[in-house]
Amino acid sequence: MDTLPAWLRTEIETVPAYEAFAGVDELHAGLRRIADRHPGVASLRRCGSSRQGNPLWCLSIGSSAENAPEALAFGLPHPNEPIGGLTALHLAERLCEDRELRERLGHTWRIVDCVDPDGLRLNEGWLRGPFTRSHYARHFYRPAGRDQVEWTFPVNHGDAYFDEPIPETQALMRLIDAHRPALVASLHNSELGGAYYWLSRAEPPLHPILQGIPEHLGIPLDRGEPEAPDLELLGDAIYEATPLATVYERTMARQQPWIFEGGSTTWYAERWGALILVSELPYWLDARAGDTSPAGTTYAEALAGNAVALADLGELLTRTLAAVESCLIAPTSPYWRAARFYATVVEGAAQERLARSKEPASQRPASVAEANSLELNFHEWRLRYGGILLRALQGEAAVGNVRAAVRFALAEVEQRYGGWLEEDARVAELDPIEIRRLVGVQYGATIAAAAHLAGRLQL
C-alpha cells in the first residue's frame, strides 16, 4: 500500500522522462537557464574551481521565511554517479517555479550541479548509452581516494590527521561553513542491487517515507551485503553514516591502521548539526536485491566465493602495475592513479571477506539478496577496476608507448576483460531502469527530508 503523502506523490510525478544522463556542459547550461528564467528567485555564482581549472557553480534559491534554515544539495560527489546531476537540475527548477513548494520545504537552498567536472568528463563516453553493462564498463572512471571530493575533507581526531583537501572539496567546505546547512543532500548513486540510504542520524518519522519512495516507483529496497560489515541499520535499507569518532574507535580497537586519510562530507558537516542524506540507486533492476528468502548456501560460502574472485582480480591488477610501472609515459594520469588505488582496495577487500568467512557468525544461511549481491559485487568490481586498468593501458598505447611490457600487459588485460564481460552477460539478470524513476527517488527523498525538518512532511 502506497503511504506517501499526496503532495509528495504529486511532486515525484513532475520528474520528466530522460533519454540520457547529462554531461558537464549540459548541467552547467541547465543551471544557467534556470537562473536566467527566475532572476527574482535564484542567483548563480561560481563557487570554486576543479583541479584542472573548470568552474564549479552554485545556484542559490531564497525562502520567504525569515531566518529560514539552509539546505545544500550537490551532484556528482563521485563522477561515475550522474543521477544526482539531473536531480540537482530538477530540484532547482521546481523550487524556482513553485512558491508553494518552497514554503513547504522551508529552506534557503544552495544547489551545485556537478562538484567533480573533471571526473565526469572521463565518464561521458557512456552517459548517452547504449545502457549495456559492456558499454558502461568500457567507459567507466572512478577516482583514486585522494582524488575524490567526498573523501578529502580535513580530519583531526586522535592520531588520524589529514589536511590536503582538493580544490573541489574546499569549495564544499566554504559553502558548508558559510551557510551552516541544516540539511545536506549528497547526491550519490550505486550501480547494482536496490535502493538504500545513508542518514547521519535516526529520523524515525522520515524512515517509512524514504522506504516508500522507491517502492512507489517500482525499485526494490536493497537488502543485500552492505558496503561495510559493521554498519548500523536505522531501518530497512537505511544505514547510519557512522560518525568519525565511532569509526576511529572501532579501528583502534581492532589494532588496524587508519586507512581513510581524508574525511567525508558527513564528518565535516556534523559540526553544524546537519542532517546528511545520501540516496543510493542502481542503474540496473534486479528483483533479487530485496529477496530475503534462503539462498541454499551459507553466508560463509558466499563470502569465500567473493573473496576468491576478488583475490584473482587483485593479483592481475597488482602484477600488471608492477610489470609496467617503470616504463610509463603518463604515470600520473587519473587512470594510473585510480588503478594503483583500487588494486590496494581490491586486495584488502579479498582478505577481509575471506577472514569473515571463517568467523562463527558467518556459518548461517545466506539470503538470496546477500548471496546475489556478493556474486554481483565481484562482477561489478572486475568490470570497474579492470576497466580502469584497461583504459590506462590503452592511454599509454595511444600516446605511443610501444614498450614490450605495455604491449604484453594490454593484450592480457584485453583478453581477460573480454571474458569477464561474457561471464557477466551470462550471470547477471539485469534490465536498465528508466532514468526518470531514478531521479524520482532521489528527488523525492531530498524534498521529503527538507519537509520533515520543516515540520510539513505530512501536511
Side-chain angles (χ1 to χ4, degrees), residues 369-382:
E370 289 173 327
N372 180 63
S373 63
L374 282 164
E375 181 176 7
L376 291 186
N377 168 256
F378 69 74
H379 289 282
E380 173 187 1
W381 281 25
R382 290 194 306 196

Side-chain angles (χ1 to χ4, degrees), residues 54-129:
N54 290 303
L56 307 179
W57 296 101
C58 178
L59 188 77
S60 296
I61 303 171
S63 170
S64 59
E66 187 175 352
N67 299 319
E70 294 267 352
L72 169 65
F74 56 94
L76 284 301
H78 288 132
N80 56 292
E81 300 173 359
I83 297 171
L86 295 176
T87 301
L89 290 189
H90 187 69
L91 173 65
E93 186 77 62
R94 287 295 300 139
L95 288 168
C96 287
E97 288 177 344
D98 194 325
R99 179 173 179 171
E100 183 178 334
L101 179 63
R102 293 198 303 274
E103 291 176 350
R104 175 184 291 279
L105 302 188
H107 289 72
T108 293
W109 290 82
R110 317 290 169 177
I111 301 175
V112 180
D113 58 339
C114 176
V115 78
D116 188 356
D118 299 352
L120 179 56
R121 289 191 188 280
L122 298 182
N123 279 280
E124 288 186 345
W126 68 267
L127 298 183
R128 304 203 67 82

Side-chain angles (χ1 to χ4, degrees), residues 285-288 376 424 426-431:
L285 187 63
D286 188 347
R288 295 171 295 181
L376 291 186
D424 182 74
R426 289 195 304 269
V427 172
E429 301 173 11
L430 306 170
D431 295 310

Side-chain angles (χ1 to χ4, degrees), residues 215-375:
E215 294 177 337
H216 173 75
L217 289 164
I219 298 173
L221 294 175
D222 194 305
R223 299 181 174 98
E225 180 73 2
E227 293 186 39
D230 53 4
L231 295 175
E232 181 178 343
L233 266 175
L234 301 177
D236 194 10
I238 302 175
Y239 294 96
E240 178 192 40
T242 313
L244 169 60
T246 303
V247 175
Y248 183 82
E249 289 165 7
R250 289 174 180 171
T251 303
M252 296 302 105
R254 294 171 181 152
Q255 298 182 326
Q256 295 174 339
W258 182 257
I259 63 170
F260 290 92
E261 295 188 305
S264 69
T265 312
T266 300
W267 296 348
Y268 191 80
E270 68 183 4
R271 66 186 61 193
W272 306 121
L275 173 65
I276 314 297
L277 168 68
V278 177
S279 307
E280 300 273 15
L281 284 306
Y283 301 120
W284 288 277
L285 187 63
D286 188 347
R288 295 171 295 181
D291 188 345
T292 57
S293 64
T297 188
T298 67
Y299 184 56
E301 290 168 335
L303 282 170
N306 177 279
V308 169
L310 290 186
D312 177 68
L313 170 61
E315 187 277 332
L316 176 65
L317 295 175
T318 302
R319 174 169 51 81
T320 303
L321 287 165
V324 303
E325 196 71 75
S326 64
C327 59
L328 299 177
I329 291 177
T332 61
S333 82
Y335 298 120
W336 285 120
R337 288 170 61 86
R340 295 183 192 103
F341 174 75
Y342 289 111
T344 301
V345 169
V346 169
E347 287 188 326
Q351 293 168 6
E352 181 268 331
R353 290 169 192 177
L354 183 60
R356 274 203 293 139
S357 73
K358 299 175 182 178
E359 295 175 355
S362 297
Q363 313 305 314
R364 60 171 177 81
S367 70
V368 170
E370 289 173 327
N372 180 63
S373 63
L374 282 164
E375 181 176 7

Side-chain angles (χ1 to χ4, degrees), residues 46-56 117 166-169 171 174:
R46 184 168 178 168
C47 62
S49 303
S50 73
R51 283 152 291 174
Q52 296 192 38
N54 290 303
L56 307 179
I166 61 177
E168 298 90 332
T169 304
R174 289 192 295 269

Side-chain angles (χ1 to χ4, degrees), residues 7-189:
W7 73 268
L8 183 57
R9 291 198 303 272
T10 299
E11 266 306 310
I12 290 171
E13 291 303 312
T14 66
V15 177
Y18 301 95
E19 294 183 356
F21 295 105
V24 176
D25 295 334
E26 294 169 275
L27 291 173
H28 288 349
L31 213 59
R32 171 65 65 185
R33 282 195 301 271
I34 293 168
D36 289 346
R37 282 201 299 264
H38 303 279
V41 176
S43 61
L44 185 66
R45 69 179 179 91
R46 184 168 178 168
C47 62
S49 303
S50 73
R51 283 152 291 174
Q52 296 192 38
N54 290 303
L56 307 179
W57 296 101
C58 178
L59 188 77
S60 296
I61 303 171
S63 170
S64 59
E66 187 175 352
N67 299 319
E70 294 267 352
L72 169 65
F74 56 94
L76 284 301
H78 288 132
N80 56 292
E81 300 173 359
I83 297 171
L86 295 176
T87 301
L89 290 189
H90 187 69
L91 173 65
E93 186 77 62
R94 287 295 300 139
L95 288 168
C96 287
E97 288 177 344
D98 194 325
R99 179 173 179 171
E100 183 178 334
L101 179 63
R102 293 198 303 274
E103 291 176 350
R104 175 184 291 279
L105 302 188
H107 289 72
T108 293
W109 290 82
R110 317 290 169 177
I111 301 175
V112 180
D113 58 339
C114 176
V115 78
D116 188 356
D118 299 352
L120 179 56
R121 289 191 188 280
L122 298 182
N123 279 280
E124 288 186 345
W126 68 267
L127 298 183
R128 304 203 67 82
F131 297 110
T132 63
R133 298 276 292 153
S134 175
H135 185 73
Y136 164 78
R138 288 188 177 277
H139 296 87
F140 175 92
Y141 167 73
R142 184 178 175 93
R146 288 289 292 264
D147 297 331
Q148 292 184 12
V149 181
E150 182 64 81
W151 283 103
T152 54
F153 284 86
V155 169
N156 189 2
H157 185 88
D159 293 330
Y161 185 80
F162 178 85
D163 64 354
E164 300 178 40
I166 61 177
E168 298 90 332
T169 304
Q170 293 176 38
L172 287 181
M173 290 166 58
R174 289 192 295 269
L175 288 171
I176 291 169
D177 290 338
H179 301 293
R180 304 184 180 188
L183 172 65
V184 175
S186 182
L187 301 173
H188 286 260
N189 65 259

